[in-house]
Amino acid sequence: MLIPGANRPRVLTSGQTDESTQTDTLTSTPHHPYTQALIRAIPDFGSVLRRLLCGIALPKSGIARINAWV
């Protein structure tokens, strides 16, 4: 779990610190295999929403709002 505003989060496995670095570095280039797996496990809700709405006729204003949201 990343806490908003955390500058240097830690990734723990069995209570032991596996990785601790700046938030930007942790999310863009995780080094520990467990951290890499955690980052890959984050769902992409934008693509899910687009698939759910595929084929639904929406006015252009509705499409623009959805694209801005995801």
Side-chain angles (χ1 to χ4, degrees), residues 2-69:
L2 275 178
I3 299 171
N7 294 328
R8 194 170 183 85
R10 293 179 180 192
V11 177
L12 303 175
T13 305
S14 301
Q16 301 296 315
T17 300
D18 285 331
E19 189 166 359
S20 177
T21 186
Q22 296 296 321
T23 304
D24 294 340
T25 305
L26 184 72
T27 56
S28 63
T29 54
H31 296 290
H32 193 276
Y34 184 68
T35 308
Q36 294 168 2
L38 288 174
I39 298 296
R40 282 193 309 269
I42 297 171
D44 179 5
F45 290 113
S47 66
V48 171
L49 182 61
R50 279 191 280 281
R51 281 198 305 266
L52 289 173
L53 296 175
C54 184
I56 297 174
L58 293 174
K60 287 185 181 182
S61 62
I63 293 171
R65 274 188 258 130
I66 291 168
N67 286 333
W69 184 59

